[in-house]
Amino acid sequence: SENKPILVSIGYSSCHWCHVMERESFEKEEIAEVMNNFFVCIKVDREERPDIDQIYMEAVQILGVHGGWPLNVFLTPDQKPFFGGTYFTPQVWVEILNNIHKAYQGNRKQIEDTAEELRMHLLTSEVERYKQMPVDSDLIPDLNGIYSKIQLKFDKKWGGLDKEPKFVMPSIWLFLLRLSHITKNKEAHDHIIFTLRKIASGGIYDQVAGGFSRYSVDRHWFAPHFEKMLYDNAQLLSLYSEAYAITKDELFKTIVYETFDWLQREMMHANGGFYSALDADSEGVEGKFYTWTKAELMEILGHDEPLISAYYSVKEEGNWEHGRNILMRVGEENQFLKDFNLTTEKWRTVLQNAKQNLLTVRESRVRPGLDDKIITAWNAMTVCGLTDAYRAFGDERFLQAALTNMQFMERELSSGNNLFRSFKNRASTTAGFLDDYAYYIQALVKVYQVTFDERWIKRAVELMEHSIEKFFDKSDGYFFYTSSDSEQLISRKKEIFDNVIPSSNAVMAQNLNYLSTFFDRDDWKQLASSMTASLAHLIKSEPGFMSHWGIVYMELEKGLAEIVFTGKDIEPLRKDLQQNYFPFAIIQGSENGSDLPLLKDKSSSEEATIYVCYNKTCRLPVHTVEEALQQLT
């Protein structure tokens, strides 16, 4: 009605530079006046509306701008972008506002032509750009070729990939664990285990309270950008649990348990949902909540301070900024015990007491901001992490937290087969996106496999059928990110590349494969195969951006074992079996008979029995975990 351009600023709660620009520009009366006089200003949380963020992030990248947040984009009144950027200083920002206003008044036609050209670019689907006809190839040579590309980027000294800043990339590491399992590649296995130990020792991991920050600004995992995101920690629960199942390394167990305790203590809604993020800053200073001076440690820890300071590389002058210390372990623990003449038991007692004392003091500090919205996709990812922890350790607390979370989402974030994006005091009006459905279905599949409660797996089928109806594009065989019922924007995108979070299409392909195996649905198996095979060339050429697709590719090419439990008292057997590492299998069972295709014809004898099946053909029934593991190839 005012015929003004739109200024949309996209950010998120734990984004440092979003807060800086808010403080420097958006909260200043004189700058706000210019903004409101010339533009209709709209603030968007990218985590609540990732569909909007996807479109305008792509737009600024087409304009040649390196994307990031805050993402500030100028649109015509009909939402077409024509200019954008990220953070601007106050002086530069005011100049841009004035210049765009003048250009919009004087060169409206040119701006609208640019906007229309950009809109046409945005209508081009990434699937159109990258989908190719599948070609036949063999799994092992393919995996060896993929590994040769990834290993060139290994940081042999500090773990992970050789670049900075260093992000935790659980999907890549889960992929490499599976690759090493199939190919018996010891180098791949060793590098991932080495990486996980380095991360667990670094400042990127909260040594006092558990939980991981999003990334390290250096290659040593030392100085994090201190925000903690739910989606990172959810995936790292899975990764460290799987690594423990392989190695039985007590460090990995400690990491899972401490991270779980942090989630329960700092990130959980009273009714069982998990909050989104903790900010990096408190009292306007990044990392203040998490760091320590030497004097503080001396006062809190008393005679144990020299030991703790040596263990965590604490310096009198500080090992970071403003005389403060980030706690980080550098040396090997065995050498440390030898240097200080400590027994393992004595040291564990000292360390636990110190952590508890530091945590007590830290709890009295001004806390970083909490983003207390509850996002469906991220909560479902957390359920997956909790079920993986339950599989690895058999601790009922993990299962109970997963079930409580599922019940919260069923109650607060779904209505029939419709999911909502987020919850904050009530469900948002925003319809769920593809990642909400994909991760929710994945969580349902995982929860079924640790409970054998069939309502979960049947719910997964309902939501898959709903997803195909509302999201699937028959013209190219992939899923749109938004539902056909969602608000219509200037472009309807599809997400195919994996990032820190695996892409929603990759997770959907995996779900289709799993559910096709449970329910003998060849149409879903064909769809999963088609989606994956058409991107196989990218999995092989750009594995860093296709790691979850790589996992799906392996599962399809190698095939999934189907492990079936029947008879009385199958729970102890299931628990024992699942504490082993066998990534290419699905598990189902019932003590009282079932309609699931593979369970239908299995007689329910008194004795607990395990069947290992491949391609709907079962091997001889066995009654011990050891025998079942021998049948898994």
Side-chain angles (χ1 to χ4, degrees):
S1 65
E2 297 184 8
N3 200 24
K4 291 178 181 177
I6 297 167
L7 163 55
V8 59
S9 183
I10 304 171
Y12 56 100
S13 161
S14 57
C15 162
H16 174 74
W17 290 103
C18 300
H19 288 295
V20 172
M21 193 162 178
E22 184 177 35
R23 192 166 58 242
E24 292 178 343
S25 294
F26 302 161
E27 292 180 358
K28 294 286 187 286
E29 290 284 344
E30 63 278 11
I31 298 179
E33 187 177 4
V34 177
M35 292 168 65
N36 290 323
N37 283 342
F38 295 159
F39 306 96
V40 173
C41 302
I42 303 173
K43 201 92 168 69
V44 174
D45 182 338
R46 70 176 290 255
E47 295 162 356
E48 288 189 68
R49 291 301 301 269
D51 55 333
I52 295 173
D53 181 58
Q54 284 175 357
I55 290 171
Y56 296 120
M57 179 62 75
E58 185 177 341
V60 298
Q61 289 170 337
I62 292 168
L63 289 166
V65 176
H66 185 71
W69 299 277
L71 184 66
N72 294 294
V73 192
F74 295 85
L75 322 176
T76 62
D78 53 356
Q79 300 183 23
K80 298 175 191 173
F82 61 87
F83 180 79
T86 53
Y87 166 79
F88 298 99
T89 63
Q91 184 181 351
V92 172
W93 183 237
V94 173
E95 277 179 39
I96 286 171
L97 296 172
N98 283 305
N99 290 341
I100 288 178
H101 172 65
K102 286 174 193 166
Y104 195 77
Q105 298 303 309
N107 298 302
R108 178 78 174 267
K109 174 74 167 62
Q110 186 181 343
I111 281 175
E112 290 188 339
D113 287 348
T114 300
E116 179 59 19
E117 197 178 319
L118 260 178
R119 186 184 75 87
M120 296 307 292
H121 269 288
L122 292 169
L123 290 175
T124 307
S125 161
E126 284 191 325
V127 173
E128 283 177 48
R129 276 180 240 158
Y130 295 109
K131 183 179 177 182
Q132 285 186 10
M133 285 293 292
V135 294
D136 289 336
S137 60
D138 293 321
L139 180 59
I140 300 299
D142 284 349
L143 294 180
N144 289 336
I146 290 170
Y147 179 73
S148 68
K149 287 186 173 65
I150 297 179
Q151 65 91 22
L152 291 173
K153 300 175 183 176
F154 282 173
D155 182 338
K156 299 287 180 64
K157 184 173 181 183
W158 290 99
L161 303 178
D162 193 9
K163 62 174 185 174
E164 51 190 71
K166 270 188 168 172
F167 285 81
V168 286
M169 297 297 286
S171 179
I172 292 177
W173 301 330
L174 286 165
F175 167 72
L176 286 172
L177 284 179
R178 283 154 177 72
L179 179 148
S180 69
H181 182 78
I182 292 178
T183 63
K184 311 302 180 199
N185 184 326
K186 187 173 184 301
E187 184 182 59
H189 167 275
D190 289 351
H191 185 72
I192 300 310
I193 300 305
F194 173 70
T195 295
L196 296 185
R197 288 183 180 135
K198 284 293 184 187
I199 295 169
S201 301
I204 194 171
Y205 179 70
D206 184 345
Q207 300 293 336
V208 170
F212 295 83
S213 295
R214 188 161 171 247
Y215 65 89
S216 165
V217 300
D218 52 73
R219 61 182 301 210
H220 316 125
W221 310 105
F222 166 61
H225 191 44
F226 285 89
E227 80 262 39
K228 287 181 176 179
M229 311 300 296
L230 181 63
Y231 58 74
D232 286 323
N233 286 281
Q235 293 177 89
L236 285 161
L237 280 178
S238 294
L239 179 62
Y240 275 91
S241 295
E242 286 200 10
Y244 178 81
I246 298 168
T247 64
K248 306 303 181 190
D249 187 325
E250 285 295 313
L251 172 62
F252 297 162
K253 182 176 183 177
T254 299
I255 296 300
V256 172
Y257 273 79
E258 288 182 347
T259 299
F260 174 67
D261 289 343
W262 164 73
L263 281 170
Q264 299 269 96
R265 185 176 57 249
E266 298 187 36
M267 299 297 285
M268 197 169 81
H269 185 279
N271 294 335
F274 289 101
Y275 302 131
S276 296
L278 283 170
D279 290 359
D281 303 6
S282 55
E283 301 180 79
V285 180
E286 185 180 357
K288 185 172 183 180
F289 184 72
Y290 298 100
T291 54
W292 309 87
T293 64
K294 174 90 166 172
E296 284 174 327
L297 295 178
M298 290 169 70
E299 183 180 342
I300 297 162
L301 302 177
H303 65 271
D304 287 334
E305 178 273 325
L307 278 178
I308 300 300
S309 288
Y311 188 67
Y312 284 125
S313 313
V314 171
K315 294 185 170 61
E316 183 77 46
E317 67 279 13
N319 62 19
W320 191 51
E321 300 170 350
H322 314 301
R324 302 189 71 79
N325 289 276
I326 297 170
L327 303 187
M328 175 175 178
R329 293 191 287 118
V330 177
E332 288 296 320
E333 186 149 314
N334 287 340
Q335 188 59 50
F336 173 80
L337 296 177
K338 194 179 293 182
D339 291 346
F340 286 89
N341 196 25
L342 290 164
T343 64
T344 303
E345 292 70 26
K346 168 69 174 168
W347 171 237
R348 278 186 186 153
T349 302
V350 170
L351 185 60
Q352 276 310 114
N353 288 341
K355 284 184 177 184
Q356 190 54 56
N357 290 335
L358 292 172
L359 183 59
T360 301
V361 170
R362 205 170 79 176
E363 289 293 302
S364 67
R365 292 177 174 176
V366 175
R367 300 185 63 78
L370 171 69
D371 183 351
D372 62 351
K373 67 177 180 293
I374 295 169
I375 294 175
T376 301
W378 300 4
N379 273 254
M381 292 168 75
T382 308
V383 169
C384 293
L386 291 167
T387 55
D388 288 339
Y390 176 61
R391 284 180 65 148
F393 303 105
D395 190 326
E396 294 293 327
R397 289 186 303 156
F398 296 125
L399 177 60
Q400 197 50 56
L403 292 174
T404 302
N405 195 323
M406 286 303 303
Q407 288 153 4
F408 177 91
M409 289 191 286
E410 284 286 296
R411 186 174 62 249
E412 304 290 358
L413 284 160
S414 66
S415 175
N417 289 332
N418 294 302
L419 301 180
F420 301 104
R421 175 61 177 178
S422 61
F423 173 95
K424 184 165 174 172
N425 303 320
R426 58 180 174 78
S428 67
T429 55
T430 304
F433 300 106
L434 185 63
D435 56 344
D436 297 306
Y437 284 87
Y439 282 106
Y440 202 93
I441 293 168
Q442 185 183 60
L444 289 164
V445 170
K446 289 211 175 209
V447 168
Y448 166 71
Q449 291 182 88
V450 295
T451 63
F452 296 154
D453 184 341
E454 290 184 15
R455 70 183 159 132
W456 301 117
I457 198 77
K458 288 173 179 173
R459 177 82 167 127
V461 171
E462 290 173 4
L463 289 179
M464 179 57 77
E465 288 171 342
H466 178 84
S467 301
I468 291 171
E469 179 191 344
K470 298 293 185 181
F471 292 86
F472 189 63
D473 184 354
K474 290 178 182 172
S475 69
D476 64 18
Y478 290 83
F479 292 84
F480 286 109
Y481 187 70
T482 53
S483 165
S484 54
D485 294 338
S486 296
E487 178 184 359
Q488 298 303 298
L489 303 175
I490 61 167
S491 175
R492 199 174 173 204
K493 310 304 290 180
K494 295 189 182 87
E495 184 183 63
I496 59 170
F497 287 105
D498 298 323
N499 204 301
V500 173
I501 298 177
S503 80
S504 45
N505 265 289
V507 177
M508 268 305 199
Q510 186 175 47
N511 290 337
L512 284 162
N513 184 32
Y514 277 50
L515 290 174
S516 74
T517 309
F518 279 116
F519 289 93
D520 198 12
R521 290 283 301 262
D522 284 341
D523 55 335
W524 287 359
K525 173 80 76 178
Q526 286 304 314
L527 180 50
S529 297
S530 169
M531 291 172 71
T532 308
S534 296
L535 298 175
H537 65 288
L538 277 181
I539 297 170
K540 297 168 198 175
S541 63
E542 299 291 344
F545 300 101
M546 301 293 287
S547 51
H548 198 78
W549 282 109
I551 291 173
V552 182
Y553 177 66
M554 283 188 276
E555 289 173 345
L556 285 161
E557 291 296 310
K558 178 177 169 48
L560 295 172
E562 300 158 70
I563 305 171
V564 178
F565 290 81
T566 64
K568 304 301 179 195
D569 299 322
I570 56 178
E571 182 64 10
L573 273 184
R574 181 200 57 73
K575 256 188 164 179
D576 286 351
L577 183 78
Q578 287 186 328
Q579 288 179 23
N580 295 276
Y581 183 69
F582 46 95
F584 299 100
I586 63 167
I587 300 169
Q588 54 192 308
S590 173
E591 293 190 359
N592 306 306
S594 167
D595 289 334
L596 290 175
L598 205 60
L599 284 166
K600 259 183 189 174
D601 60 350
K602 301 287 183 293
S603 60
S604 197
S605 64
E606 284 298 313
E607 188 174 8
T609 303
I610 308 171
Y611 297 85
V612 176
C613 314
Y614 289 91
N615 297 319
K616 306 170 191 172
T617 304
C618 297
R619 299 183 175 176
L620 287 173
V622 296
H623 305 286
T624 67
V625 167
E626 292 71 24
E627 290 171 305
L629 289 171
Q630 285 169 12
Q631 292 184 351
L632 286 168
T633 55

